[in-house]
């Protein structure tokens, strides 16, 4: 599936809903929603002028899309297209074991989680030694991962404010993060052009995608862990790669974290 370079320049410009029945792709002028089974474009949301999407995610039971744009402009695209401006420290809204929470970054590098209608933090997460630029929550809402320009992946158990662990190995800063369906592994996309899969319990690197010749610029993982989508640059060409994980599915979905941790 060919695609334009503008699709690949953001942080998270392709995303799956929780059911995995479609794929949202953003370019400089619109967000397109495709059927995950047929590849047919179902809906196109036009974006206002002045900058493309920096990040795309699903919200409100997957009925709408949240599109982050430059200068902290946030668009909600659904039945009614809305626009709001949030703090420049805003990092997104996540479904967690503590409810649907907004996440903000403090100058101290701590992360604050709060309700949308309150300025009082529900939780403060500490332990990051850099300003956070990308974040992700696990599907069960219990864990949060974050990273920045140093390429380190930090992650927390949202029942404990102290950092649970770090994954170190990327050569440049992080562009995107996501958890596997069961939360046993974390996928990280870096400006070094690679995607790496880390085991949550041991912080070991399990798999690596991308190389000097074939660099990855964006990624999305289907909710069931069976399809991994990359926006790639190979030589002078750009395109999408869709990986049917096959034998690696168990690595992403059914990894027994407790068994690994015991060794």
């Amino acid at each position: 599936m060919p695609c334009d370079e503008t699709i690949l320049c953001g942080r998270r410009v392709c995303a799956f809903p929780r059911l995995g029945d479609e794929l949202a792709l953003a370019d400089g002028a619109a967000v397109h929603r495709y059927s995950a089974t047929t590849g047919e474009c179902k809906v196109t949301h036009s974006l206002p002028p002045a900058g493309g999407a920096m990040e795309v995610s699903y919200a409100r039971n997957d009925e709408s899309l949240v599109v982050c744009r430059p200068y902290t402009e946030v668009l909600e695209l659904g039945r009614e297209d809305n626009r709001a401006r949030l703090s420049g420290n805003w990092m997104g809204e996540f479904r967690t074991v503590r409810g649907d929470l907004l996440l903000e970054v403090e100058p101290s590098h701590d992360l604050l989680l709060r309700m949308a209608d309150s300025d009082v933090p529900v939780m403060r997460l500490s332990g990051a030694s850099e300003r956070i630029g990308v974040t992700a929550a696990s599907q069960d809402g219990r864990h949060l991962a974050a990273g920045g320009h140093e390429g380190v992946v930090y992650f927390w158990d949202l029942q404990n404010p102290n950092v649970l662990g770090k994954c170190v190995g990327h050569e440049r800063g992080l562009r995107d993060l996501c958890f596997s369906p069961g939360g046993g592994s974390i996928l990280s996309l870096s400006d070094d052009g690679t995607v790496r899969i880390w085991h949550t319990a041991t912080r070991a690197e399990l798999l690596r995608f991308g190389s000097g010749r074939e660099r990855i610029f964006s990624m999305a993982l289907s909710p069931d862990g069976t399809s991994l989508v990359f926006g790639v640059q190979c030589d002078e060409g750009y395109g999408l790669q869709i990986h049917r994980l096959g034998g690696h599915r168990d690595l992403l979905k059914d990894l027994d974290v407790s068994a690994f941790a015991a060794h």
Side-chain angles (χ1 to χ4, degrees), residues 111-194:
L111 304 182
L112 297 183
L113 291 164
R114 64 176 179 83
M115 304 294 289
D117 57 355
S118 174
D119 292 330
V120 179
V122 173
M123 192 173 192
R124 178 189 297 268
L125 305 177
S126 59
S129 61
E130 59 178 304
R131 179 176 173 81
I132 295 303
V134 293
T135 52
S138 59
Q139 284 189 10
D140 62 6
R142 179 172 175 178
H143 294 93
L144 188 85
H149 69 276
E150 294 180 0
V152 176
V153 181
Y154 305 87
F155 57 96
W156 291 264
D157 183 330
L158 293 184
Q159 297 178 345
N160 185 331
N162 297 314
V163 67
L164 183 63
K166 303 177 185 179
C167 302
V168 181
H170 278 298
E171 298 174 5
R172 298 183 66 183
L174 297 183
R175 277 179 170 258
D176 199 2
L177 292 167
C178 68
F179 280 88
S180 63
S185 54
I186 300 172
L187 288 76
S188 58
L189 168 63
S190 167
D191 284 327
D192 63 14
T194 68

Side-chain angles (χ1 to χ4, degrees), residues 52-69:
M54 293 179 63
E55 181 173 339
V56 174
S57 61
Y58 283 82
R60 299 194 182 185
N61 296 322
D62 296 337
E63 292 183 357
S64 62
L65 286 168
V66 175
V67 179
C68 300
R69 286 159 55 85

Side-chain angles (χ1 to χ4, degrees), residues 15-16 25 38 46 49 78 82-83 121-122 151 170 178 188 216 220 237-239 246:
F16 283 102
L25 287 172
T38 68
S46 297
N82 299 307
R83 186 183 309 187
V122 173
H170 278 298
C178 68
S188 58
I216 301 172
Y238 294 86

Side-chain angles (χ1 to χ4, degrees), residues 183-218:
S185 54
I186 300 172
L187 288 76
S188 58
L189 168 63
S190 167
D191 284 327
D192 63 14
T194 68
V195 168
R196 307 190 191 204
I197 302 177
W198 310 89
H199 182 232
T200 308
T202 63
R203 275 75 76 186
E205 182 181 321
L206 302 175
L207 277 177
R208 184 184 305 184
F209 299 88
S211 64
R213 179 175 178 270
E214 186 176 87
R215 298 175 59 81
I216 301 172
F217 286 87
S218 60

